Amino acid sequence: MPGPGILHHDDARAAPEDDDDNGRDDHDHDDVEAVHHDPAVADAVYHHQALARLDNLHVLGVTHEEAVLFADIDLEVWGRAHRDYGDMMPFERLRPRSTRWQIAVAHGHYVPVPDRTSRLRPSWLIGDDDLTAAGADYIALGHWNRAAKVGTVAAYYSGSPEYAGTINMVRLSAGGDIAVTRAALEIAREPSAVD
């Protein structure tokens, strides 16, 4: 799955004069969606006590079966957690839209037209047809260390923060626009990845 990310929604219910000093309004949300390469098995780090105490931490397959609903901003974030180390199709079962905004998350290897008939291939394949069929406003992908936009819809790998040195910031606007930018992180980087 993608590296840790911050989900930020620009809600038009607040007028510009309601902005506080940091330029954010009272309806903004920062929610940490913890995502990682490791499956949601019983002994995974996701079950650690320290993480369980965080109110804004949502882990698909652990704290939520398949989706997290943010009703106050009409947003649903959904995805299928890896339950083991076996191969799976992240978008094999799609989730019908029930909110204005929908973000899908998936861990897998993007290939525009995957050949799933060969045993000698990457696991967790995701193709253009899968991305389009998901029907989400934004698709957060993980598995690649580098940041990249893929396919013809709004589907992005954020890359590993230690390698990419960035995270994807996704802004959903009241007008229906989606803007994706990369925000630099001030963290220790993997030496082989530093430019």
Side-chain angles (χ1 to χ4, degrees), residues 19-142:
D19 284 351
D20 57 23
D21 291 337
N22 65 9
R24 309 243 339 250
D25 66 48
D26 294 334
H27 301 288
D28 286 346
H29 292 265
D30 283 339
D31 287 282
V32 178
E33 301 295 329
V35 287
H36 200 274
H37 270 292
D38 298 330
V41 295
D43 62 346
V45 67
Y46 315 119
H47 299 285
H48 193 278
Q49 285 180 330
L51 297 179
R53 291 191 294 264
L54 300 174
D55 292 338
N56 65 339
L57 181 69
H58 308 286
V59 183
L60 297 177
V62 177
T63 62
H64 296 75
E65 185 60 29
E66 189 172 87
V68 181
L69 178 65
F70 299 95
D72 60 327
I73 58 174
D74 207 15
L75 168 71
E76 178 182 61
V77 178
W78 75 274
R80 291 181 55 218
H82 288 240
R83 301 294 183 171
D84 55 37
Y85 289 96
D87 192 10
M88 67 174 283
M89 292 176 60
F91 292 115
E92 186 173 25
R93 290 186 320 270
L94 300 176
R95 187 171 180 90
R97 182 183 289 269
S98 63
T99 55
R100 161 62 181 97
W101 295 104
Q102 188 183 63
I103 295 175
V105 297
H107 180 123
H109 179 71
Y110 170 77
V111 177
V113 181
D115 177 5
R116 293 185 173 99
T117 62
S118 173
R119 279 185 19 149
L120 301 175
R121 62 171 172 79
S123 297
W124 312 304
L125 289 177
I126 299 171
D128 285 332
D129 289 347
D130 301 312
L131 298 174
T132 301
D137 296 297
Y138 175 79
I139 301 172
L141 297 171

Side-chain angles (χ1 to χ4, degrees), residues 170-186:
V170 180
R171 181 171 287 271
L172 309 173
S173 73
D177 296 322
I178 300 161
V180 181
T181 56
R182 292 176 59 198
L185 298 173
E186 293 181 24

